[in-house]
Amino acid sequence: MQRLTHEEILGWLRETRPAQLDQLFAQADQVRHDNVGDAVHLRGLVEISSYCVRQCHYCGLRASRVTPRYRMNREEILTCAHKAVELGFGTVVMQAGEDFGIEAEWLAGVIRQIKAETPLAITLSLGERLLDEARLWRQAGADRYLVRFETSDPQLYAAIHPQRGAAISDRVELLRELRKMGYEIGSGVMAGIPGQTYEILARDIELFAELDLDMVGIGPFIAHPETPLGAPGVATAGEEQVPSSELMVLKAVALTRLVCPEANLPATTALATINTVDGREHGLESGANVFMPILTPSPYRQMYQIYPGKACVDEDATQCNHCLRGRIQRLNRYVGEGQGGRRSGSSGEASSGKETSTDAKARQPLSDEPLSPSLQDDASPLVVLR
Ligand code: SAM
Ligand code: SF4
């Protein structure tokens, strides 16, 4: 693991010089290669419900937003899981708003059926459900759970993520409990959420390492005009406000790869939304090793509007698969086979017959020296994007 100090992470987040940033991205790409290899794992995303009881200030699915809602039935979800197998994916991700209309026993039955009928790993991303429910789903066969802690700063968290009634919302504690249950755990943040300072984002990245996350998703905050954080004139952190730019996301992904070398890191759909041309490729070149193509059928995918303009909403699963495979090939990477989990035994290992992460680890890393922005030569003053 790269030992980056808080000041070094902070320095990199503030760095703007292209030559220095190219070194950061190259180092992250090498660490990715050495630890998880060149495979890009495909996780089919099925957005199983757009109902939500929560009022997150950033999200278009928040309970009070008036918008058509849907909840998929068992047959629809099973059809998506079989589509994932047909397209060669190793994992199906079931994501939803925090929807207690998704009854725990019912979902356990769906999980059991997917496990019985397919070789897929199952990832859940269903918000802050009860521990007993998560335990039931784990026993039914779910392998992984994603819940972004959104920010490590307690005050910002309380401001953007209101409690639900008297229930204490503690996503970090939830992650620790999920790990104890045997789940692979994934978390993450949005870069550029109003009120997020460079200091806060640096601490977020340190918390990824402290939690030893198996998966980390980082995308840009994309303002939804019908949410409190998307309203005109929303308060920001002024000069210390992290921008919600592609470059900032790429820096955060690269630093996360350095501090969490073995984690699975997606090049997110939100990143592809702010750069539809090659945002995903930039993600893969900056440390990411996962794509999450959307399998949700129409018209539901159009209704799962977390933020406006979401990439791939007008394509179907087959088109998405074709497009993503082309992007992977053009970077001389290849699609990972098997479930592509991090922890051996729990949810499968990449088994492509090509280089494995263990093989890759046997090679020498690029450098043992910590990469520090302050130690680099000066270069041209301003960077836009690669
Ligand atoms: N309800 C579950 C939860 O909150 O964990 C899963 C679904 S939720 C829509 C998935 C993620 O979408 C959130 O964790 C958040 O980081 C991201 N998200 C929500 N609103 C967003 C926005 N305006 N821009 C970018 N990402 C957003
Ligand atoms: Fe609901 Fe998740 Fe959106 Fe929050 S982020 S409003 S929990 S869907």
Side-chain angles (χ1 to χ4, degrees):
M1 185 191 301
Q2 279 269 349
R3 300 233 172 265
L4 292 177
T5 65
H6 178 76
E7 282 63 36
E8 285 169 334
I9 295 174
L10 200 51
W12 278 116
L13 291 175
R14 295 186 195 278
E15 182 61 73
T16 56
R17 293 167 297 176
Q20 277 72 11
L21 287 170
D22 279 347
Q23 287 190 44
L24 172 68
F25 297 135
Q27 179 90 351
D29 199 42
Q30 185 70 42
V31 170
R32 184 272 309 157
H33 174 84
D34 291 341
N35 286 275
V36 295
D38 288 340
V40 178
H41 295 286
L42 300 179
R43 326 281 206 208
L45 180 65
V46 188
E47 296 147 332
I48 64 175
S49 167
S50 68
Y51 286 93
C52 189
V53 295
R54 299 204 81 108
Q55 296 288 6
C56 304
H57 285 199
Y58 41 86
C59 177
L61 299 186
R62 65 199 305 270
S64 60
R65 182 168 165 255
V66 179
T67 183
R69 309 265 175 174
Y70 69 90
R71 186 178 297 127
M72 288 171 65
N73 65 32
R74 175 190 288 256
E75 288 68 35
E76 289 170 324
I77 297 172
L78 260 292
T79 301
C80 289
H82 285 287
K83 187 78 183 170
V85 177
E86 181 193 318
L87 296 175
F89 303 168
T91 299
V92 67
V93 183
M94 289 193 265
Q95 192 184 80
E98 210 169 292
D99 175 14
F100 289 88
I102 301 173
E103 202 265 316
E105 281 290 351
W106 175 84
L107 187 66
V110 175
I111 292 168
R112 277 187 218 102
Q113 195 171 347
I114 294 174
K115 288 305 230 186
E117 295 180 9
T118 77
L120 295 169
I122 295 179
T123 302
L124 302 177
S125 172
L126 305 172
E128 296 165 60
R129 297 290 301 247
L130 305 178
L131 293 183
D132 282 346
E133 296 177 318
R135 211 168 277 117
L136 177 71
W137 298 331
R138 174 76 188 128
Q139 284 159 3
D143 302 281
R144 310 176 189 139
Y145 204 105
L146 299 176
V147 56
R148 290 185 179 179
F149 60 70
E150 315 293 3
T151 175
S152 57
D153 184 82
Q155 279 176 336
L156 181 58
Y157 184 73
I160 65 175
H161 189 84
Q163 277 188 205
R164 186 172 57 86
I168 302 292
S169 168
D170 187 340
R171 288 182 163 217
V172 173
E173 183 54 25
L174 174 58
L175 284 160
R176 293 197 168 106
E177 291 297 327
L178 292 165
R179 158 90 27 96
K180 284 187 212 156
M181 291 176 204
Y183 280 102
E184 282 198 11
I185 54 169
S187 194
V189 298
M190 291 164 275
I193 198 142
Q196 182 187 58
T197 62
Y198 289 93
E199 274 284 347
I200 291 174
L201 184 54
R203 286 200 301 270
D204 294 344
I205 292 169
E206 292 176 287
L207 185 53
F208 298 155
E210 188 189 315
L211 291 170
D212 187 25
L213 294 173
D214 303 303
M215 301 160 283
V216 187
I218 303 168
F221 164 67
I222 300 175
H224 192 305
E226 293 172 40
T227 62
L229 291 187
V234 67
T236 71
E239 288 194 352
E240 282 302 299
Q241 173 65 47
V242 169
S244 58
S245 64
E246 180 185 11
L247 182 61
M248 185 53 64
V249 172
L250 298 178
K251 285 194 263 185
V253 169
L255 291 165
T256 300
R257 172 57 70 200
L258 296 185
V259 302
C260 300
E262 295 179 355
N264 284 311
L265 309 187
T268 58
T269 303
L271 180 59
T273 299
I274 60 166
N275 176 357
T276 51
V277 177
D278 49 12
R280 287 186 199 277
E281 284 86 340
H282 289 168
L284 286 190
E285 290 171 322
S286 305
N289 69 323
V290 168
F291 277 162
M292 295 175 71
I294 302 173
L295 287 178
T296 315
S298 279
Y300 300 147
R301 63 166 72 200
Q302 287 80 3
M303 293 161 72
Y304 197 82
Q305 213 203 56
I306 306 172
Y307 48 76
K310 195 162 138 204
C312 307
V313 158
D314 297 323
E315 294 170 21
D316 66 22
T318 306
Q319 289 167 322
C320 272
N321 179 48
H322 185 73
C323 162
L324 293 182
R325 282 174 186 268
R327 290 175 192 267
I328 292 166
Q329 267 165 16
R330 284 193 289 279
L331 291 180
N332 288 325
R333 305 268 285 272
Y334 62 90
V335 174
E337 289 176 20
Q339 296 182 342
R342 171 178 173 200
R343 285 165 195 275
S344 53
S346 69
S347 48
E349 291 294 298
S351 58
S352 62
K354 301 184 185 175
E355 181 178 59
T356 65
S357 60
T358 317
D359 296 333
K361 266 189 248 172
R363 278 193 274 104
Q364 285 297 309
L366 183 67
S367 159
D368 290 334
E369 293 299 314
L371 190 70
S372 162
S374 57
L375 298 178
Q376 311 301 318
D377 296 327
D378 274 354
S380 49
L382 204 63
V383 76
V384 189
L385 282 178
R386 290 171 302 151

